[in-house]
Amino acid sequence: MMIEFEGFPVADNQLTVKEGQLYLKGYRCRDCGHVMFPAAELCLNCSGEQIEEGPIGRDGELVEYTISYTAPEGYEAPLVQALVRLKEGPEVFALLDTTEQEMKTTEAGAPLRLIPVVDDGRIVGWRFGRKKGMGL
C-alpha cells in the first residue's frame, strides 16, 4: 500500500509519513543508538546488526553549499547543492529549494525543513528549504 502526504501518493522509498508530517526514513542502531541515513545493513558506528527504521530528517541546518551551473537531464541549472545536518545527527547531501541569489544572504547554520518534490500528481523526491517564517 502506497502512503500519502497531503493527498499525494509518496513514490519515493526514502520518505515516510508519521502523524501527518513528511520525514526521511532513518535507521537507528538498537545497540548504540547511532542514527543513519540512508539505510545500512550494519551500524556505521559499532557494526551492530540490530537496525530499526524510523522517521528522521524533517528538520536540519545548512552546513555548506555549492552552486552547480550544469545540470543533469530533467533539472534546470543553476542548482544549489548542500550538505544538511539533520536534527538527529546524520548529514545528507541534498538539493535546496532556493536560488543562487537567495543563497548570497544565507549562512551556515540556517534552519532547513524537508519538502516534497511533486511531479505528475505524486511525490517523487525531496529537497530541503528554509523553514516557514525564516524567509531568505
Side-chain angles (χ1 to χ4, degrees), residues 3-65:
I3 60 174
E4 289 191 359
F5 175 69
E6 295 183 353
F8 293 101
V10 178
D12 186 321
N13 66 2
Q14 292 183 325
L15 296 170
T16 190
V17 176
K18 182 178 179 184
E19 298 174 357
Q21 301 296 323
L22 190 66
Y23 292 88
L24 294 174
K25 281 184 187 173
Y27 301 86
R28 183 179 315 273
C29 176
R30 289 184 183 166
D31 295 327
C32 72
H34 184 71
V35 179
M36 300 167 284
F37 178 87
E41 291 184 23
L42 297 174
C43 175
L44 301 175
N45 186 54
C46 74
S47 299
E49 297 179 4
Q50 300 298 314
I51 308 295
E52 61 186 1
E53 182 182 299
I56 67 166
R58 185 164 184 263
D59 295 310
E61 67 177 29
L62 178 66
V63 175
E64 56 185 300
Y65 74 93

Side-chain angles (χ1 to χ4, degrees), residues 70-90:
T70 59
E73 187 175 330
Y75 292 85
E76 192 174 315
L79 293 171
V80 180
Q81 304 168 338
L83 186 61
V84 177
R85 182 175 298 114
L86 304 179
K87 179 178 73 172
E88 297 83 0

